[in-house]
């Protein structure tokens, strides 16, 4: 019996360790992409033979923003294989800027004033995230109809944090499943009955906004507790 319990505990530790390591890898990948922007909608071959020169010239005019010093790119290229000739959807462009503050400027303008246009083509500019983070963002966005139905204000922030508020009570969610559970429970419990300082909150208190990696810390705590129980 003792041997079986040891095996179960070891399996749990390994699973938690895997979750922790995967979270760390996702975080590292997102950080490595912080200077990237993703540009959608620019027609194929519009850039000619030099993507960086094209973006340096076109991007400031397109978003109506002057840069001093001028834009510089570490690299810029289209992603995924070239589409067939009869495809009307151009491949996205990934561009890595030399200066992080210019990346933030572009993304802020894109959020506030996008989409943009080149001739008759609609152009969108977004941040570049890892696959895992993109999936979480999509899952959050899929819950927007329910949030609207419940008349909740919400916002999706980098890299994948959904802020929800109603009747002066605000919460931060880093996991779409937690938000889904919260919305389910809200059907039978009024929003003002939730206290952001309550230890029974689904996502914890408002300090989550100050600790974006609190999910990782929870896994660390779980690993420590499991290890202590084995000892």
């Amino acid at each position: 019996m003792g041997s079986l319990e040891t095996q179960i505990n070891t399996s749990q530790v390994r699973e938690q360790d895997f979750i922790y390591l995967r979270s760390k890898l996702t975080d590292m990948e997102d950080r490595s992409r912080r200077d990237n922007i993703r540009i959608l909608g620019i027609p194929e071959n519009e850039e000619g033979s030099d993507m960086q020169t094209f973006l340096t010239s076109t991007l400031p005019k397109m978003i109506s923003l002057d840069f001093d010093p001028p834009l510089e790119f570490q690299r810029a290229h289209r992603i995924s294989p070239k589409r067939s000739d009869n495809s009307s959807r151009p491949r996205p462009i990934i561009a890595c800027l030399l200066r992080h503050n210019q990346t933030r400027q572009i993304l802020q303008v894109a959020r506030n004033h996008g989409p943009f246009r080149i001739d008759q083509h609609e152009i969108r500019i977004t941040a570049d995230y890892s696959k895992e983070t993109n999936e979480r963002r999509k899952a959050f966005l899929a819950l927007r109809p329910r949030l609207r139905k419940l008349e909740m204000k919400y916002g999706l922030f980098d890299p994948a944090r959904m802020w929800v508020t109603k009747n002066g009570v605000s919460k931060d969610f880093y996991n779409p499943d937690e938000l889904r559970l919260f919305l389910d429970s809200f059907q039978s419990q009024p929003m003002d009955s939730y206290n952001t300082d309550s230890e029974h909150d689904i996502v914890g208190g408002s300090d989550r906004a100050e600790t974006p990696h609190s999910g990782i810390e929870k896994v660390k705590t779980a690993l420590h507790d499991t290890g202590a129980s084995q000892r």
Side-chain angles (χ1 to χ4, degrees), residues 172-194:
D172 292 297
F173 295 86
Y174 293 85
N175 187 319
D177 291 332
E178 291 179 345
L179 177 55
R180 193 174 292 108
L181 286 172
F182 176 75
L183 296 177
D184 290 343
S185 67
F186 188 75
Q187 302 295 332
S188 58
Q189 191 169 3
M191 183 71 169
D192 56 12
S193 68
Y194 287 91

Side-chain angles (χ1 to χ4, degrees), residues 140 147 152-157 160-166 169-174 179 209:
F140 274 129
L147 290 164
M152 293 183 178
K153 295 180 180 179
Y154 61 88
L156 183 59
F157 298 93
R161 172 175 66 90
M162 181 70 89
W163 168 82
V164 176
T165 186
K166 186 175 182 179
V169 179
S170 298
K171 292 180 180 292
D172 292 297
F173 295 86
Y174 293 85
L179 177 55

Side-chain angles (χ1 to χ4, degrees), residues 15-229:
E15 181 179 0
Q16 292 166 349
D17 200 17
F18 171 76
I19 294 172
Y20 169 67
L21 291 174
R22 187 171 63 179
S23 298
K24 290 290 289 183
L25 286 172
T26 299
D27 179 64
M28 290 171 63
E29 183 176 353
D30 285 331
R31 289 176 183 273
S32 73
R33 295 170 179 248
R34 288 190 306 169
D35 293 327
N36 292 0
I37 57 173
R38 183 180 290 248
I39 308 172
L40 312 173
I42 293 182
E44 292 279 347
N45 303 317
E46 186 82 7
E47 66 274 16
S49 60
D50 191 334
M51 179 68 79
Q52 293 189 33
T53 299
F54 168 75
L55 292 178
T56 301
S57 170
T58 303
L59 198 55
K61 292 183 290 186
M62 184 177 71
I63 66 176
S64 301
L65 187 63
D66 294 326
F67 293 94
D68 185 20
L71 284 180
E72 291 185 74
F73 295 90
Q74 299 185 55
R75 55 191 175 275
H77 56 85
R78 293 189 185 269
I79 59 173
S80 74
K82 192 169 184 177
R83 304 183 193 279
S84 59
D85 293 337
N86 59 359
S87 175
S88 60
R89 189 174 64 175
R91 292 172 295 164
I93 294 171
I94 296 291
C96 179
L97 284 89
L98 181 63
R99 300 176 182 87
H100 180 68
N101 65 317
Q102 292 181 339
T103 305
R104 306 313 302 174
Q105 282 181 288
I106 293 170
L107 292 175
Q108 183 175 0
V109 171
R111 280 192 296 267
N112 295 336
H113 303 290
F116 309 99
R117 302 198 75 83
I118 292 181
D119 298 327
Q120 74 275 23
H121 304 287
E122 183 177 276
I123 312 299
R124 296 182 180 274
I125 302 175
T126 68
D128 183 38
Y129 301 108
S130 64
K131 179 181 177 181
E132 290 78 8
T133 298
N134 267 323
E135 289 175 351
R136 278 197 296 148
R137 290 177 66 87
K138 289 178 182 178
F140 274 129
L141 293 175
L143 295 172
R144 287 181 298 178
R146 294 187 63 185
L147 290 164
R148 296 191 193 105
K149 185 176 181 180
L150 292 170
E151 298 182 347
M152 293 183 178
K153 295 180 180 179
Y154 61 88
L156 183 59
F157 298 93
D158 293 339
R161 172 175 66 90
M162 181 70 89
W163 168 82
V164 176
T165 186
K166 186 175 182 179
N167 298 335
V169 179
S170 298
K171 292 180 180 292
D172 292 297
F173 295 86
Y174 293 85
N175 187 319
D177 291 332
E178 291 179 345
L179 177 55
R180 193 174 292 108
L181 286 172
F182 176 75
L183 296 177
D184 290 343
S185 67
F186 188 75
Q187 302 295 332
S188 58
Q189 191 169 3
M191 183 71 169
D192 56 12
S193 68
Y194 287 91
N195 186 327
T196 54
D197 295 326
S198 171
E199 64 180 2
H200 300 294
D201 279 353
I202 294 176
V203 294
S206 58
D207 61 334
R208 287 291 294 270
E210 300 174 5
T211 55
H213 306 297
S214 55
I216 294 175
E217 296 303 322
K218 288 171 64 179
V219 176
K220 285 182 178 178
T221 302
L223 284 170
H224 179 272
D225 292 344
T226 305
S229 66

